[in-house]
């Protein structure tokens, strides 16, 4: 695995997003587009017939003559916008599985109705992108250097010339912040967030957060470990940097924390353990990365894994290290963890 660096994070650390597969190489930082920064942090909601302005989390302000409809987005972003009634023309990032079914990051999108420009890391068909006549590209950032998630380093300059970009940061902050930013972005793009569906989704998220807070307070002895598996290694995430874990911790969840020294090899995101040492930490609940690149619990054959008390007790639940940033999609993440804590047996 390459140890070259582009920012203070390795690509493995960025792809981990708090504990996913270590894939080795490093993602270089993308430069800012030739747009100027200015204005307040809040979005200027566009009128249907007027110009569109949005200031993203790089401080870059994108200005267009009208609200864009030619939107191309990272798959998870497109899925969030879809939940708010905003459709995109094209996507890039994990969109369909090897058997052709929608990837978990595609949410409720009908993937047959979008142009898939790239389905795995490093894929981005610039020619197809140009043919879509994109007005804006929207993605996330997993660092503070402006790196556009899943936009390949080798083609980022060509991509940048075709349309301005908007980036929502999902780095070193709590889940509620990018949720609010995606809400504002969707509203600026024409989403009706006064509609009953949107209002109800937000209220349900808030109720689920309160349920998790109460569960964590009632069961402080329950220790939770966030993990991810590959054939060779098991990754234990720390709570810092990851939007979901930072938020869950703020709500009171008792997480197992690898030391900073142990996480150093993973760019500060995680500690990598051999399968022989997977029992290093005693957990009552294990949250496992649900993304396609991670080895799923049912496929883990290591005897050391099967002997873990949480595994034997059936206290393994899925985790979404790259949550779809709509309130509707994030509510189950809170509810599932709350339920697991409420019902957990103390096994560590």
């Amino acid at each position: 695995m390459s140890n070259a660096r582009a920012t203070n994070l390795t690509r493995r650390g960025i792809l981990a997003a708090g504990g996913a597969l270590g894939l080795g190489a490093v993602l270089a930082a993308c430069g800012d587009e030739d747009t100027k920064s200015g204005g307040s942090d809040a979005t200027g909601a566009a009128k249907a017939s007027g110009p569109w302005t949005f200031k993203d989390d790089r401080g870059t302000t994108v200005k267009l003559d009208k609200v864009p409809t030619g939107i191309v987005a990272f798959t998870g972003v497109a899925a969030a916008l879809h939940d708010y009634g905003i459709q995109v023309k094209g996507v890039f990032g994990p969109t369909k599985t090897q058997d052709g079914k929608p990837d978990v990051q595609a949410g409720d999108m009908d993937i047959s109705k979008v142009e898939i420009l790239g389905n795995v890391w490093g894929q981005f068909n610039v020619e197809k992108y140009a043919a879509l006549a994109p007005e804006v590209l929207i993605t996330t950032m997993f660092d503070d250097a402006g790196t556009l998630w899943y936009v390949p380093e080798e083609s980022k300059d060509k991509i940048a010339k075709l349309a301005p970009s908007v980036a929502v940061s999902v780095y070193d902050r709590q889940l509620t912040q990018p949720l609010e930013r995606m809400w504002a972005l969707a509203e600026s793009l024409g989403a009706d967030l006064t509609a009953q569906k949107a209002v109800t989704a937000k209220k349900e998220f808030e109720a689920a957060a309160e349920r998790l807070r109460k569960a964590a307070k009632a069961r402080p002895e329950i220790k939770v470990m966030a993990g991810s598996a590959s054939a060779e290694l098991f990754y234990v995430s720390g709570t810092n940097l990851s939007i979901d874990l930072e938020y869950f911790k703020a709500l009171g969840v008792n997480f197992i924390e690898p030391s900073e020294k142990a996480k150093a090899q993973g760019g500060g995101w995680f500690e990598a353990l051999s399968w022989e040492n997977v029992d290093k930490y005693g957990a009552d609940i294990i949250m496992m990365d649900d993304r396609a690149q991670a080895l799923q619990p049912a496929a883990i054959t290591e005897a050391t894994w099967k002997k873990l008390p949480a595994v034997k007790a059936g206290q393994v639940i899925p985790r979404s290290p790259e949550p779809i940033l709509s309130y509707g999609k994030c509510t189950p993440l809170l509810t599932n963890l709350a339920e697991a804590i409420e019902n957990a047996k103390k096994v560590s």
Side-chain angles (χ1 to χ4, degrees), residues 182-239:
M182 194 62 69
W183 175 277
L185 177 58
E187 185 176 40
S188 80
L189 292 169
D192 180 7
L193 299 183
T194 64
Q196 191 60 45
K197 179 182 177 182
V199 172
T200 299
K202 197 169 186 179
K203 287 182 178 179
E204 289 178 346
F205 175 87
E206 292 165 353
E210 185 57 28
R211 178 181 175 181
L212 179 55
R213 189 193 305 276
K214 290 180 178 178
K217 184 176 182 180
R219 303 293 306 277
E221 77 281 7
I222 299 300
K223 295 189 291 183
V224 180
M225 179 168 68
S228 183
S230 72
E232 298 81 19
L233 295 168
F234 183 83
Y235 304 92
V236 180
S237 296
T239 57

Side-chain angles (χ1 to χ4, degrees), residues 71 78-88 186 189-193 197-198:
I71 303 168
L81 292 175
H82 177 272
D83 285 356
Y84 293 129
I86 304 299
Q87 306 305 318
V88 306
L189 292 169
D192 180 7
L193 299 183
K197 179 182 177 182

Side-chain angles (χ1 to χ4, degrees), residues 225 234 236 273-281 302 304-305 308:
M225 179 168 68
F234 183 83
V236 180
L273 298 174
S274 66
W275 283 105
E276 290 76 11
N277 296 316
V278 73
D279 60 354
K280 178 177 179 178
Y281 300 106
E302 299 290 340
T304 48
W305 163 260
L308 293 178

Side-chain angles (χ1 to χ4, degrees), residues 152-194:
E153 171 66 16
E154 59 272 17
S155 56
K156 67 181 179 67
D157 292 337
K158 291 180 180 179
I159 292 167
K161 290 177 182 178
L162 294 170
S165 61
V166 166
V168 175
S169 180
V170 289
Y171 173 70
D172 195 17
R173 61 201 60 206
Q174 293 182 24
L175 176 61
T176 46
Q177 290 177 267
L179 273 173
E180 289 166 1
R181 295 293 284 146
M182 194 62 69
W183 175 277
L185 177 58
E187 185 176 40
S188 80
L189 292 169
D192 180 7
L193 299 183
T194 64

Side-chain angles (χ1 to χ4, degrees), residues 6-29:
T7 68
N8 62 324
L9 294 175
T10 63
R11 173 184 167 192
R12 181 171 72 176
I14 297 172
L15 269 175
L21 291 184
L23 297 184
V26 177
L27 177 63

Side-chain angles (χ1 to χ4, degrees), residues 22-246:
L23 297 184
V26 177
L27 177 63
C30 289
D32 260 358
E33 274 65 30
D34 297 329
T35 51
K36 295 181 180 179
S37 176
S40 67
D41 288 336
T43 178
K47 295 181 180 179
S49 59
W52 183 76
T53 300
F54 192 86
K55 185 174 181 179
D56 75 0
D57 291 342
R58 297 168 298 180
T60 296
T61 299
V62 177
K63 297 180 180 181
L64 299 174
D65 293 336
K66 62 182 180 65
V67 178
T69 55
I71 303 168
V72 172
F74 172 69
T75 302
V77 170
L81 292 175
H82 177 272
D83 285 356
Y84 293 129
I86 304 299
Q87 306 305 318
V88 306
K89 286 187 174 182
V91 297
F92 55 96
T95 306
K96 61 182 178 180
T97 58
Q98 291 183 349
D99 59 5
K101 295 180 180 178
D103 187 273
V104 64
Q105 295 191 63
D108 295 331
M109 279 195 303
D110 182 345
I111 63 173
S112 70
K113 294 183 178 180
V114 293
E115 184 75 56
I116 301 174
L117 304 176
N119 195 58
V120 298
W121 185 265
Q123 275 186 0
F124 193 113
N125 191 312
V126 180
E127 289 73 22
K128 285 185 178 181
Y129 179 57
L132 290 174
E135 294 173 274
V136 66
L137 179 149
I138 308 174
T139 187
T140 52
M141 297 185 298
F142 277 91
D143 62 20
D144 55 7
T147 306
L148 299 179
W149 190 230
Y150 265 81
V151 173
E153 171 66 16
E154 59 272 17
S155 56
K156 67 181 179 67
D157 292 337
K158 291 180 180 179
I159 292 167
K161 290 177 182 178
L162 294 170
S165 61
V166 166
V168 175
S169 180
V170 289
Y171 173 70
D172 195 17
R173 61 201 60 206
Q174 293 182 24
L175 176 61
T176 46
Q177 290 177 267
L179 273 173
E180 289 166 1
R181 295 293 284 146
M182 194 62 69
W183 175 277
L185 177 58
E187 185 176 40
S188 80
L189 292 169
D192 180 7
L193 299 183
T194 64
Q196 191 60 45
K197 179 182 177 182
V199 172
T200 299
K202 197 169 186 179
K203 287 182 178 179
E204 289 178 346
F205 175 87
E206 292 165 353
E210 185 57 28
R211 178 181 175 181
L212 179 55
R213 189 193 305 276
K214 290 180 178 178
K217 184 176 182 180
R219 303 293 306 277
E221 77 281 7
I222 299 300
K223 295 189 291 183
V224 180
M225 179 168 68
S228 183
S230 72
E232 298 81 19
L233 295 168
F234 183 83
Y235 304 92
V236 180
S237 296
T239 57
N240 60 317
L241 305 183
S242 297
I243 56 172
D244 60 329
L245 301 184
E246 283 200 16

